[in-house]
Structure formats: structure tokens, C-alpha cells
Amino acid sequence: MSGATDALPPAESWLGGRLSLRQPPRGAHRAGTDAVLLASAAAAQAGDVVCDLGAGTGAVGLAVARAHPEARVMLVERDPEAARLARLNAEENGLAARVRVIEVDVTAPGRERRAAGLLPDSVDLLLTNPPFFEAGRHRASPVAVRAAAHGFPEPGGLEAWLRTCADLLRPGGRLVLIHRADALPACLDALAGRFGALQVTPVQPRTEAPAIRVLVAGVRGSRAPFALAPALVLHGPDGRFTERAEAMHRGETP
């Protein structure tokens, strides 16, 4: 093989050196604090089948695989180059035996997902950072890969994405997602009737600032009530990460 797509970006230390990741160059879609928060909220159990839906280069799913040696992990990604790097990252971190990369569009029809290996009722824990914007509701990035990662190409994308989540999870399976704080009503609407025991954790940049993200956890088919968790604050008055946020970035479960 030859060409620019075959050139490998350098490996970077992630989660305090717990993982080595090859990611696209800055300006493209890369794993950052959102991925750290999602991985920290995973709470995988022994023997879980874990799915990182919209995995990019695999940061979240690989973090779970590293922290939970008995878990089996699926990384689902539609972009061929990101999927290639996810496979390489699994190999270079010694996790390939427990990590499978599935290359398919999350919102594709069910027959396409099943043909790719995504089977209904097959996942115990699903982690996802869906694209943040519905079609036509934001100014897309001029970088094509970044635009595709951040926005749905068609209206109703979030509903379709979360419908796939419900399809993949076993009854009683757990979902954790991260999204923009102002998208919380849309997330709750899409989860209604499919998930219960919903718990929302607001993520604030500083104590006095409004939330910019929400972590939403739920259980497929549960009838347990909604809960609002205490906020997670990322930065202290000095602008540095709080003790809790710093521990998360080191890969330590708070």
C-alpha cells in the first residue's frame, strides 16, 4: 500500500500512560476530555460484552479493555481510516485478543448492522459519544472527517443513533453517553420508553459556570425513576483540573 492515508501518526501517551494511541493530527477529530469522562463512567463488570459505539480510534473502548481484563470489547466506527487506527491501537496495546473493530454506520439499517456483526440483544454495556449536531443546525467544520464525526448527515440522527443503542443492548443492559448539555431534552426524549433508571451528571467547566456536557446513564427496559447526580466540575479557580478531573485523566476511577 502507498499514499498519505497509509502514513501512521505517532503514538501518544493517553490516560497517564495506561494507553498508547495513534490519532489523526490536531484539527481532525481526536479523543479528548469527553472520551476521558465517558471511559471513567463505564463501570464495566466482570465478563461484560462492551460496545464503544462511534469509537473513532478506540480510546474509550480500549480504556475499558485495559481496566477490565475480563471484558470483551467491540469498537464500532464507520470511517475507514479511524477504524484502521483503532485496530492498530488495539494491537499495539496488547488488547487485540479481546477487542474487535466493526466498520459500519451506526444509523445504517438493521440488516446492514447485522451483516457487519452487530447483533441485537448482544451487549451488556454500551458507551457512546454521538455526533453533537443534527443536520442543518450548525456550521460544519471545513475538515471533512471532523464534520462527519461532529454532525449527523440526516435529520433525526440522534433518535436513530439511540434506537441502535437500544437494539444492541440486552434487556437490563446499561447505556452511558456523553453529549452537549443543551441536547439533554433531545436525549431524554429519544431514551423514553426504551430506558429507565436514568441518571444525569452535569459537567461544568467551573463551579460557577453552567454545564457544558451531560453524562447520561440508563438501563434498557428498567422502570426505576430518574435521578440527577451532583455535578462534575472540571477546573478549579486557578484554571487547573480539579483533583477528581485530574484523576480521571490519569485513568483512575474516582
Side-chain angles (χ1 to χ4, degrees):
M1 293 186 296
S2 63
T5 58
D6 297 326
L8 287 177
E12 304 172 22
S13 177
W14 203 64
L15 293 184
R18 283 174 165 78
L19 286 176
S20 174
L21 288 183
R22 295 185 188 270
Q23 299 196 72
R26 298 191 185 278
H29 179 68
R30 294 166 54 87
T33 293
D34 287 355
V36 169
L37 299 180
L38 187 57
S40 181
Q45 299 174 9
D48 271 352
V49 174
V50 180
C51 180
D52 178 0
L53 202 64
T57 58
V60 173
L62 294 175
V64 174
R66 172 68 78 218
H68 301 277
E70 295 184 3
R72 291 171 291 156
V73 176
M74 294 186 292
L75 307 177
V76 181
E77 176 54 46
R78 70 179 180 181
D79 178 69
E81 179 60 12
R84 179 177 83 112
L85 291 177
R87 292 186 185 95
L88 183 61
N89 286 332
E91 292 170 3
E92 292 186 342
N93 284 280
L95 299 170
R98 293 189 291 114
V99 175
R100 179 185 179 194
V101 179
I102 298 177
E103 196 172 322
V104 69
D105 190 330
V106 172
T107 60
R111 64 183 179 277
E112 292 184 24
R113 300 197 308 269
R114 290 190 290 274
L118 281 181
L119 303 180
D121 302 337
S122 62
V123 172
D124 299 297
L125 173 63
L126 192 148
L127 308 168
T128 190
N129 182 358
F132 275 180
F133 301 103
E134 291 286 358
R137 297 188 182 178
H138 75 296
R139 180 177 294 178
S141 169
V143 181
V145 175
R146 187 179 180 91
H150 289 183
F152 290 106
E154 302 290 341
L158 181 62
E159 162 71 24
W161 190 284
L162 295 180
R163 186 167 61 244
T164 295
C165 293
D167 178 65
L168 296 178
L169 279 165
R170 296 187 175 105
R174 292 109 56 210
L175 167 72
V176 185
L177 70 89
I178 190 166
H179 213 303
R180 302 185 339 266
D182 64 336
L184 179 58
C187 290
L188 295 179
D189 284 348
L191 295 172
R194 299 181 176 118
F195 292 88
L198 292 171
Q199 177 173 290
V200 173
T201 303
V203 180
Q204 299 172 208
R206 300 175 305 281
T207 301
E208 71 279 7
I212 54 171
R213 298 284 187 269
V214 284
L215 284 160
V216 183
V219 178
R220 184 187 166 198
S222 174
R223 295 183 178 273
F226 175 91
L228 182 63
L232 167 60
V233 179
L234 296 179
H235 300 280
D238 59 1
R240 298 181 179 179
F241 280 130
T242 61
E243 183 176 345
R244 183 181 179 192
E246 181 63 35
M248 289 177 170
H249 280 79
R250 293 194 302 267
E252 301 170 6
T253 302

